[in-house]
């Protein structure tokens, strides 16, 4: 799922499951289970014997695809909001003193 991909990317970004789980507002076992589900594809995404975790070569390829999938899912939401006439996204406002 998209959520599993986001969790796996968080682990890669933070280098450990504990910090990633805190940033994702889920328990560490939830994050670990999500990563293992992706691992059921028969590959190893993370080398857990190192601290911080290291992403394997094949893991880098999987994470690259995960980033693309998440980006495209966001674009899909934008298309839906646009079709409904809803404005979405982030608005940044700057103020000059």
């Amino acid at each position: 799922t998209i959520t599993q991909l986001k969790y796996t990317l968080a682990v890669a970004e933070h280098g450990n499951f504990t910090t990633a789980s805190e940033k994702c507002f889920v328990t560490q076992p939830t994050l670990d289970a999500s990563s293992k589900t992706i691992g059921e594809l028969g590959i190893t995404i993370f080398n857990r014997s190192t601290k911080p975790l290291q992403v394997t070569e094949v893991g880098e390829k999987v994470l690259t695809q995960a980033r693309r999938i998440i980006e495209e899912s966001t674009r899909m939401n934008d298309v839906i909001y646009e079709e409904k006439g809803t404005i979405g996204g982030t608005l940044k406002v700057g103020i000059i003193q």
Side-chain angles (χ1 to χ4, degrees):
T1 66
I2 300 293
T3 302
Q4 289 173 316
L5 295 176
K6 288 179 180 178
Y7 290 168
T8 304
L9 286 170
V11 173
E13 179 183 338
H14 297 289
N16 69 55
F17 286 89
T18 304
T19 304
S21 66
E22 291 169 359
K23 298 294 181 183
C24 293
F25 304 105
V26 296
T27 64
Q28 189 272 333
T30 300
L31 210 67
D32 190 42
S34 178
S35 174
K36 286 182 181 175
T37 301
I38 292 175
E40 288 176 359
L41 298 172
I43 59 162
T44 303
I45 296 175
F46 301 110
N47 178 358
R48 296 174 182 235
S49 64
T50 62
K51 300 233 185 228
L53 292 173
Q54 290 185 340
V55 180
T56 63
E57 187 175 326
V58 70
E60 280 294 342
K61 293 176 184 177
V62 169
L63 294 177
T64 298
Q65 289 301 315
R67 286 181 191 95
R68 289 180 183 157
I69 291 167
I70 291 169
E71 183 179 317
E72 289 300 319
S73 73
T74 302
R75 287 184 184 165
M76 185 172 56
N77 287 335
D78 291 343
V79 168
I80 293 167
Y81 291 137
E82 184 179 314
E83 192 62 32
K84 289 181 175 181
T86 306
I87 297 174
T90 303
L91 174 65
K92 295 183 181 182
V93 179
I95 300 174
I96 300 173
Q97 294 183 353

